[in-house]
Structure formats: C-alpha cells, structure tokens
Amino acid sequence: RIITVWSRSGGTGKTTLSISLAQAIARRGLKTLLIGLGAPDVIPLHLGLLPEPNIVSWIANPNDDGLRASIQKAGELHVLAGFPDILSESQGDKPAEASGSINQLVTSAAYGGYSAIILDTPSSGGVTPRALSAANTWLMLSRPTVSDVWMSAESFRTVTQKIAGQHRITPGNIFVVLNQRANGMLTADQWHGAADAACRKMNLNVGFPPVIATIPQALEVALAQDSGRSALDASDDFARPIHRLSEMLFGGSVLPAGRKEEGVFSLGPLKIRTKK
C-alpha cells in the first residue's frame, strides 16, 4: 500500500499518526518507508533524526542511489525527512512524469522493495495533490467534531469528484480515522452519520467512507514526543487502535517474534517477495 495520511483540517495529528502507523507496520516485519512532506518537517525532531539528508537531497539526485543515500533509519523504520523550510517545498510540486516528482519517488521506493510507503501529507499546498496522485490508499484523519465533518466531506468530494481520474485511490481504499477523541465528543457512529448527511447535501451519490479507528486523546503522546520518545510506546490507549489499524491494512504479515525480515510476507493467500 502507498498511503497518504491527509485531511483538509490542520491540527488533526497527521504527523503523529503517520509516524506511529509507520512504526507499527515496520514492527510487523514489513519493509516500511515514511516520507515526510511537511515544510518544515518535524518528523526528524520526533524521531531523533537529523534534518539532512532529506527529500531535497533526493530531488537533487532522483534515482535509486539517491534514495538510498537520503534515507535515515529509526529502529526498523526507514525515513525520508521532508522539506527543511517553506521555500524548498515548491520543489515537490512537479508533474507526475517529471524527474524528481513525488510519483517518481514513490515508484522508486516501490521497486526498491518497500511493502508499505506512508506519505505524511500537509493540509494544503502544491505538494498535496502530488501526494494524492501518487497514493493508492487514503487515510482521512479527522477530529470528532462537527466542523471537521464538513471539512472531511468537502475533501471527500474533492478527491472523488473534482480530481477524479488524477489518482489511483478507489472509494474502497478511503478510510477515516478519528483522532484526539475525549469523553463527550462525537462517537464514531454519530460522526459518520453527520458525514453521510453532509454528503447528501452535497449531492454525492456514494456513502461516506467507514471510520475504521478511533484514537483517544492522550496527554502521554505529546509528553513523549517532547522528550524524543516514541508516541507508540507512550500510551497503551493510543497504541492499541494504531496496531489494529496496521493489522487491518496489512493483515497476515506479522513475522514471528525475534525473526528478522527475510524478504517474504503473506497477504491473504499470496506470498510476496520484496527486495532487501
């Protein structure tokens, strides 16, 4: 899967989810690449990595060798840090067929043997539609609020209608994750019902994508990030839905405990070999 974690609303926790989901997938034994697209990108800060090399390094040398040279490692996870500032972000706004485009980056990573590629996609900017066009799965992150319902419904209409044909994300590969839920806020059913109603008002002929995970608000997550520790290891309440989400997206691919990746994983009845 090539997953873009994106929502039109800011502050929903896209980077936190991108990092934690990528770590959970990597710990399942799959070769996983997390690509930051923020400007400035805070992924290196949260993972204790250096700001360079980064995606700008790869754009300057957009080939397999350039990708390997630009990747940093955080435990089992491979990371390509994002843009160091807003001035460099414009380098990511290139047509799919152009050298150094986000599409070329994802294609190179896929042929390099990555089974999971996670794109931490900013709320807006020129790089956002490029990330959508490169992905085949969209995790729509939202807070359980009415205002986020409308932002999410409009984002759904944009992807399925306004830019239909410009990406490979089918309706069946769009999933909603509710983040930062506290007691008294909308439940998953209430939120989804409101989203369905918003779709009807927008004259959309398809139902709203399912909510497949609800992540509670956890103070331990922010405290862990501020101290340079993994959010995934900070709170069981936070980690449980993340691990369920990774299993839902990549079910059947867990390696036995203590066993290193051998380049083969199972996906249902299929056995898929990846390059080291």
Side-chain angles (χ1 to χ4, degrees), residues 33 58 61 63-71 80 105 108-109 114:
L33 176 63
W58 177 82
N61 188 24
N63 52 45
D64 293 343
D65 291 337
L67 180 58
R68 284 190 291 269
S70 301
I71 286 174
L80 179 59
L105 170 59
S108 180
Y114 287 99

Side-chain angles (χ1 to χ4, degrees), residues 9 63 76 121 242:
S9 302
N63 52 45
E76 307 93 334
T121 306
I242 299 291

Side-chain angles (χ1 to χ4, degrees), residues 154 157-164 166:
E154 177 54 40
R157 178 167 67 172
T158 297
V159 171
T160 57
Q161 289 192 352
K162 295 181 180 179
I163 60 171
Q166 300 179 36

Side-chain angles (χ1 to χ4, degrees), residues 85-170:
D85 50 53
I86 59 174
L87 298 178
S88 59
E89 184 183 19
S90 62
Q91 297 182 50
D93 186 9
K94 295 183 178 181
E97 65 277 5
S99 178
S101 69
I102 302 300
N103 290 74
Q104 183 188 2
L105 170 59
V106 166
T107 299
S108 180
Y111 277 105
Y114 287 99
S115 306
I117 302 169
I118 313 294
L119 301 168
D120 178 26
T121 306
S123 299
S124 60
V127 73
T128 300
R130 304 304 182 188
L132 288 168
S133 72
N136 56 33
T137 303
W138 173 20
L139 283 188
M140 184 193 309
L141 194 59
S142 174
R143 290 163 299 211
T145 65
V146 173
S147 60
D148 273 33
V149 165
W150 282 96
M151 293 290 280
S152 299
E154 177 54 40
S155 300
F156 180 58
R157 178 167 67 172
T158 297
V159 171
T160 57
Q161 289 192 352
K162 295 181 180 179
I163 60 171
Q166 300 179 36
H167 57 76
R168 298 173 295 153
I169 303 172
T170 64

Side-chain angles (χ1 to χ4, degrees), residues 14-252:
K14 291 183 289 292
T15 297
T16 299
L17 177 66
S18 297
I19 293 173
S20 301
L21 177 60
Q23 287 178 320
I25 295 169
R27 291 177 186 181
R28 295 176 68 82
L30 295 181
K31 190 176 180 182
T32 304
L33 176 63
L34 171 62
I35 301 175
L37 296 174
D41 185 27
V42 298
I43 288 177
L45 181 66
H46 288 325
L47 290 176
L49 303 175
L50 298 174
E52 295 180 353
N54 53 41
I55 194 169
V56 176
S57 309
W58 177 82
I59 291 173
N61 188 24
N63 52 45
D64 293 343
D65 291 337
L67 180 58
R68 284 190 291 269
S70 301
I71 286 174
Q72 301 182 61
K73 293 184 179 180
E76 307 93 334
L77 178 63
H78 291 199
V79 180
L80 179 59
F83 301 97
D85 50 53
I86 59 174
L87 298 178
S88 59
E89 184 183 19
S90 62
Q91 297 182 50
D93 186 9
K94 295 183 178 181
E97 65 277 5
S99 178
S101 69
I102 302 300
N103 290 74
Q104 183 188 2
L105 170 59
V106 166
T107 299
S108 180
Y111 277 105
Y114 287 99
S115 306
I117 302 169
I118 313 294
L119 301 168
D120 178 26
T121 306
S123 299
S124 60
V127 73
T128 300
R130 304 304 182 188
L132 288 168
S133 72
N136 56 33
T137 303
W138 173 20
L139 283 188
M140 184 193 309
L141 194 59
S142 174
R143 290 163 299 211
T145 65
V146 173
S147 60
D148 273 33
V149 165
W150 282 96
M151 293 290 280
S152 299
E154 177 54 40
S155 300
F156 180 58
R157 178 167 67 172
T158 297
V159 171
T160 57
Q161 289 192 352
K162 295 181 180 179
I163 60 171
Q166 300 179 36
H167 57 76
R168 298 173 295 153
I169 303 172
T170 64
N173 276 333
I174 302 175
F175 308 103
V176 178
V177 176
L178 295 184
N179 193 28
Q180 304 170 358
R181 186 182 185 277
N183 288 336
M185 300 180 76
L186 295 176
T187 66
D189 287 343
Q190 290 170 336
W191 191 95
H192 191 269
D196 263 338
C199 285
R200 288 194 295 272
K201 290 183 179 181
M202 294 179 179
N203 295 318
L204 293 176
N205 297 322
V206 293
F208 201 78
V211 177
I212 63 171
T214 300
I215 304 171
Q217 193 171 51
L219 178 61
E220 299 92 334
V221 169
L223 295 177
Q225 290 175 322
D226 286 347
S227 62
R229 294 182 291 112
S230 168
L232 193 63
D233 299 324
S235 165
D236 288 341
D237 289 339
F238 173 80
R240 277 193 291 269
I242 299 291
H243 286 297
R244 286 197 295 268
L245 182 58
S246 71
E247 183 176 1
M248 187 175 299
L249 295 170
F250 295 91

